[in-house]
mmCIF file of all heavy atoms in Angstrom:
data_model
loop_
_atom_site.group_PDB
_atom_site.id
_atom_site.type_symbol
_atom_site.label_atom_id
_atom_site.label_comp_id
_atom_site.label_asym_id
_atom_site.label_seq_id
_atom_site.Cartn_x
_atom_site.Cartn_y
_atom_site.Cartn_z
ATOM 1 N N LEU A 104 -60.010 -13.665 11.115
ATOM 2 C CA LEU A 104 -59.198 -13.161 12.224
ATOM 3 C C LEU A 104 -59.865 -11.947 12.868
ATOM 4 O O LEU A 104 -59.905 -11.835 14.095
ATOM 5 C CB LEU A 104 -57.783 -12.822 11.752
ATOM 6 C CG LEU A 104 -56.901 -14.025 11.396
ATOM 7 C CD1 LEU A 104 -55.662 -13.567 10.630
ATOM 8 C CD2 LEU A 104 -56.518 -14.803 12.644
ATOM 9 N N ALA A 105 -60.402 -11.051 12.047
ATOM 10 C CA ALA A 105 -61.089 -9.862 12.562
ATOM 11 C C ALA A 105 -62.337 -10.234 13.359
ATOM 12 O O ALA A 105 -62.767 -9.487 14.233
ATOM 13 C CB ALA A 105 -61.467 -8.929 11.400
ATOM 14 N N ARG A 106 -62.885 -11.402 13.094
ATOM 15 C CA ARG A 106 -64.062 -11.890 13.820
ATOM 16 C C ARG A 106 -63.672 -12.710 15.054
ATOM 17 O O ARG A 106 -64.510 -13.306 15.702
ATOM 18 C CB ARG A 106 -64.948 -12.722 12.887
ATOM 19 C CG ARG A 106 -65.559 -11.909 11.750
ATOM 20 C CD ARG A 106 -66.232 -12.821 10.726
ATOM 21 N NE ARG A 106 -66.729 -12.105 9.571
ATOM 22 C CZ ARG A 106 -67.921 -11.519 9.497
ATOM 23 N NH1 ARG A 106 -68.752 -11.563 10.516
ATOM 24 N NH2 ARG A 106 -68.289 -10.894 8.403
ATOM 25 N N GLY A 107 -62.376 -12.769 15.328
ATOM 26 C CA GLY A 107 -61.900 -13.448 16.530
ATOM 27 C C GLY A 107 -61.636 -14.933 16.375
ATOM 28 O O GLY A 107 -61.467 -15.642 17.364
ATOM 29 N N VAL A 108 -61.593 -15.424 15.143
ATOM 30 C CA VAL A 108 -61.371 -16.845 14.887
ATOM 31 C C VAL A 108 -59.873 -17.090 14.706
ATOM 32 O O VAL A 108 -59.194 -16.338 13.998
ATOM 33 C CB VAL A 108 -62.141 -17.304 13.627
ATOM 34 C CG1 VAL A 108 -61.880 -18.766 13.318
ATOM 35 C CG2 VAL A 108 -63.627 -17.041 13.802
ATOM 36 N N GLU A 109 -59.358 -18.136 15.330
ATOM 37 C CA GLU A 109 -57.965 -18.535 15.118
ATOM 38 C C GLU A 109 -57.888 -19.310 13.809
ATOM 39 O O GLU A 109 -58.537 -20.345 13.660
ATOM 40 C CB GLU A 109 -57.473 -19.408 16.263
ATOM 41 C CG GLU A 109 -57.307 -18.658 17.563
ATOM 42 C CD GLU A 109 -56.735 -19.532 18.670
ATOM 43 O OE1 GLU A 109 -55.947 -20.461 18.365
ATOM 44 O OE2 GLU A 109 -57.102 -19.286 19.822
ATOM 45 N N VAL A 110 -57.102 -18.798 12.877
ATOM 46 C CA VAL A 110 -56.982 -19.402 11.551
ATOM 47 C C VAL A 110 -55.503 -19.655 11.278
ATOM 48 O O VAL A 110 -54.665 -18.795 11.559
ATOM 49 C CB VAL A 110 -57.539 -18.469 10.451
ATOM 50 C CG1 VAL A 110 -57.537 -19.154 9.094
ATOM 51 C CG2 VAL A 110 -58.925 -17.975 10.791
ATOM 52 N N SER A 111 -55.194 -20.811 10.707
ATOM 53 C CA SER A 111 -53.805 -21.112 10.373
ATOM 54 C C SER A 111 -53.293 -20.156 9.306
ATOM 55 O O SER A 111 -54.071 -19.517 8.594
ATOM 56 C CB SER A 111 -53.677 -22.550 9.871
ATOM 57 O OG SER A 111 -54.134 -22.653 8.531
ATOM 58 N N GLU A 112 -51.997 -20.126 9.185
ATOM 59 C CA GLU A 112 -51.382 -19.442 8.049
ATOM 60 C C GLU A 112 -51.703 -20.260 6.799
ATOM 61 O O GLU A 112 -51.970 -21.469 6.893
ATOM 62 C CB GLU A 112 -49.866 -19.362 8.240
ATOM 63 C CG GLU A 112 -49.431 -18.447 9.376
ATOM 64 C CD GLU A 112 -49.702 -16.984 9.102
ATOM 65 O OE1 GLU A 112 -49.651 -16.571 7.913
ATOM 66 O OE2 GLU A 112 -49.965 -16.249 10.072
ATOM 67 N N PRO A 113 -51.645 -19.644 5.614
ATOM 68 C CA PRO A 113 -51.865 -20.421 4.396
ATOM 69 C C PRO A 113 -50.832 -21.543 4.271
ATOM 70 O O PRO A 113 -49.692 -21.411 4.703
ATOM 71 C CB PRO A 113 -51.677 -19.403 3.274
ATOM 72 C CG PRO A 113 -52.005 -18.092 3.907
ATOM 73 C CD PRO A 113 -51.489 -18.212 5.320
ATOM 74 N N PHE A 114 -51.257 -22.657 3.684
ATOM 75 C CA PHE A 114 -50.365 -23.788 3.444
ATOM 76 C C PHE A 114 -50.764 -24.467 2.142
ATOM 77 O O PHE A 114 -51.830 -24.210 1.589
ATOM 78 C CB PHE A 114 -50.387 -24.781 4.616
ATOM 79 C CG PHE A 114 -51.714 -25.446 4.858
ATOM 80 C CD1 PHE A 114 -52.056 -26.639 4.224
ATOM 81 C CD2 PHE A 114 -52.628 -24.899 5.746
ATOM 82 C CE1 PHE A 114 -53.276 -27.254 4.453
ATOM 83 C CE2 PHE A 114 -53.851 -25.506 5.994
ATOM 84 C CZ PHE A 114 -54.177 -26.688 5.347
ATOM 85 N N HIS A 115 -49.870 -25.308 1.666
ATOM 86 C CA HIS A 115 -50.162 -26.147 0.501
ATOM 87 C C HIS A 115 -49.551 -27.516 0.759
ATOM 88 O O HIS A 115 -48.754 -27.684 1.675
ATOM 89 C CB HIS A 115 -49.647 -25.526 -0.800
ATOM 90 C CG HIS A 115 -48.166 -25.358 -0.874
ATOM 91 N ND1 HIS A 115 -47.483 -24.360 -0.203
ATOM 92 C CD2 HIS A 115 -47.216 -26.067 -1.534
ATOM 93 C CE1 HIS A 115 -46.194 -24.449 -0.456
ATOM 94 N NE2 HIS A 115 -46.002 -25.492 -1.262
ATOM 95 N N ASP A 116 -49.954 -28.490 -0.045
ATOM 96 C CA ASP A 116 -49.496 -29.854 0.154
ATOM 97 C C ASP A 116 -48.247 -30.109 -0.678
ATOM 98 O O ASP A 116 -48.104 -29.583 -1.788
ATOM 99 C CB ASP A 116 -50.595 -30.847 -0.234
ATOM 100 C CG ASP A 116 -50.306 -32.248 0.261
ATOM 101 O OD1 ASP A 116 -50.564 -32.510 1.448
ATOM 102 O OD2 ASP A 116 -49.804 -33.065 -0.534
ATOM 103 N N VAL A 117 -47.381 -30.935 -0.155
ATOM 104 C CA VAL A 117 -46.145 -31.295 -0.837
ATOM 105 C C VAL A 117 -46.422 -31.873 -2.224
ATOM 106 O O VAL A 117 -45.614 -31.720 -3.138
ATOM 107 C CB VAL A 117 -45.300 -32.256 0.039
ATOM 108 C CG1 VAL A 117 -45.993 -33.597 0.215
ATOM 109 C CG2 VAL A 117 -43.903 -32.433 -0.508
ATOM 110 N N THR A 118 -47.562 -32.527 -2.405
ATOM 111 C CA THR A 118 -47.895 -33.130 -3.701
ATOM 112 C C THR A 118 -48.417 -32.104 -4.697
ATOM 113 O O THR A 118 -48.470 -32.379 -5.897
ATOM 114 C CB THR A 118 -48.985 -34.211 -3.544
ATOM 115 O OG1 THR A 118 -50.196 -33.578 -3.101
ATOM 116 C CG2 THR A 118 -48.555 -35.299 -2.583
#
Side-chain angles (χ1 to χ4, degrees):
L104 289 166
R106 295 170 185 274
V108 178
E109 290 184 31
V110 186
S111 77
E112 292 292 328
F114 63 89
H115 63 284
D116 194 81
V117 66
T118 65

